[in-house]
Amino acid sequence: MPQDRPALHEQLHELIATQRPSISFEFFPPKTDEAEATLWQSIRRLEPLNPTFVSVTYGAGGSSRDRTTRVTQRIAQDTTLTPMAHLTCVGASLAELRGVVADYAAAGVKNVLVVRGDPAGGPRAEWVQHPGGPRYAVELVSLVRELGNFSVGVAAFPDIHPASADLDADARVLAMKAEAGAQFAITQMFFTPSTYFELVDRAASLGCTIPIIPGIMPVTNVKQVTRIAELTGVAIPDVVVERLHAVADEPAAVRQVGVEIATELSRELLDGGAPGLHFITMNRSTATLEVAEALGLTTRV
């Protein structure tokens, strides 16, 4: 176990404020031993970039809660990285959620990303509240803040959330989560810079000025990103679709174009004042490393 871990005990919102731009990586819990080996290979390849934090997601319906907890705890104990745990409202009572938070705290994990979470049927399935659990993320934000000195982040949506009436409603929800104690936000992936800046402006008009970190997913598989976009409501601009489909039959070329698109998007976001970048890695490191290198983010202190 690493002995010198000062960042682990720092409040994540303070790190985000001081490490400009922040850089972070998102992983998901593996389902097989082979997938877990790939995950840890990616973690070790990205670790030298000294990211501000890394996060581990839940699966739809909270299906991977135990694996998420285990992987997050191992990152805290066996690496030099600052982990951020995910916590969702799906399929859990308040008592169970308190237990999960206690487990994170016992492992030294003091940073939590609170989201409502997707139903087991996916983002567009009907949301069903657990009989003894919270209905909305804002309630879960309040719970986590009450349980200890946690740094709490939440989700934000440059493109409309499938369950929202409109973009203004998304901004109002974000402002409510900030009022409840959220200290920063991470967006769902998107491809149009203006949607991010418009979200920041809408939130600010409501008095919500917490850092909003854009979520970036370098495309390496056309079918995969198209499916994710269909489920989540993410808009893929025609120019992006055309660039990807022009090389769709060449996997190496798809990855190269995906890296170029992610680099261009990231550079425009940083130039426009975004506080950092949160890379959705899909548990692969190469494309993310290439984007970081192109942006000059591979040598951080």
Side-chain angles (χ1 to χ4, degrees):
M1 175 179 176
Q3 297 301 308
D4 186 14
R5 295 294 307 280
L8 181 64
H9 305 292
E10 292 183 52
Q11 290 282 287
L12 188 51
H13 64 282
E14 295 173 354
L15 292 175
I16 292 169
T18 57
Q19 296 185 2
R20 293 295 184 106
S22 70
I23 181 173
S24 51
F25 306 122
E26 180 174 298
F27 306 107
F28 63 86
K31 295 181 179 180
T32 66
D33 290 344
E34 181 181 7
E36 183 154 358
T38 298
L39 167 62
W40 283 100
Q41 181 183 52
S42 296
I43 288 173
R44 293 303 185 185
R45 288 190 69 196
L46 293 168
E47 189 173 7
L49 272 65
N50 190 28
T52 308
F53 65 93
V54 298
S55 68
V56 185
T57 69
Y58 276 5
S63 58
S64 61
R65 182 178 292 114
D66 291 344
R67 291 192 299 275
T68 296
T69 302
R70 178 171 57 83
V71 171
T72 305
Q73 290 172 335
R74 183 179 169 189
I75 289 172
Q77 295 164 355
D78 295 346
T79 78
T80 61
L81 299 168
T82 297
M84 180 177 69
H86 279 227
L87 194 66
T88 81
C89 302
V90 180
S93 67
L94 288 172
E96 289 170 324
L97 290 167
R98 290 190 185 98
V100 173
V101 173
D103 288 342
Y104 284 140
V109 179
K110 300 292 287 183
N111 308 301
V112 182
L113 184 73
V114 170
V115 298
R116 189 200 70 173
D118 294 332
R124 294 189 179 277
E126 181 182 1
W127 167 254
V128 179
Q129 180 183 5
H130 186 283
R135 179 172 179 81
Y136 299 113
V138 66
E139 300 170 54
L140 196 48
V141 170
S142 297
L143 175 67
V144 175
R145 290 304 303 271
E146 290 168 3
L147 291 175
N149 189 28
F150 292 94
S151 191
V152 178
V154 293
F157 300 90
D159 294 314
I160 189 169
H161 186 282
S164 289
D166 52 41
L167 292 169
D168 288 334
D170 280 336
R172 288 194 295 272
V173 170
L174 178 58
M176 290 171 60
K177 290 186 285 192
E179 180 68 22
Q183 295 151 308
F184 63 95
I186 299 173
T187 77
Q188 187 178 61
M189 73 171 188
F190 62 96
F191 294 94
T192 305
S194 61
T195 61
Y196 167 80
F197 294 116
E198 289 163 4
L199 167 64
V200 172
D201 289 343
R202 282 193 300 273
S205 72
L206 298 170
C208 176
T209 58
I210 60 174
I212 301 174
I213 304 171
I216 308 296
M217 191 176 91
V219 177
T220 58
N221 182 302
V222 175
K223 289 183 179 179
Q224 181 184 58
V225 73
T226 301
R227 176 61 174 162
I228 292 173
E230 289 173 350
L231 287 172
T232 61
V234 170
I236 304 181
D238 289 343
V239 63
V240 171
V241 172
E242 290 167 4
R243 289 173 68 179
L244 290 170
H245 280 279
V247 294
D249 295 331
E250 305 173 53
V254 168
R255 189 176 64 77
Q256 180 180 348
V257 171
V259 166
E260 291 171 358
I261 291 169
T263 301
E264 293 162 9
L265 172 60
S266 298
R267 185 171 287 119
E268 187 166 347
L269 291 167
L270 292 178
D271 288 347
L277 302 167
H278 183 69
F279 290 100
I280 303 162
T281 70
M282 303 306 291
N283 289 8
R284 303 283 179 175
S285 58
T286 301
T288 299
L289 280 168
E290 290 176 354
V291 175
E293 182 175 25
L295 294 170
L297 298 175
T298 52
T299 54
R300 292 164 54 84
V301 295

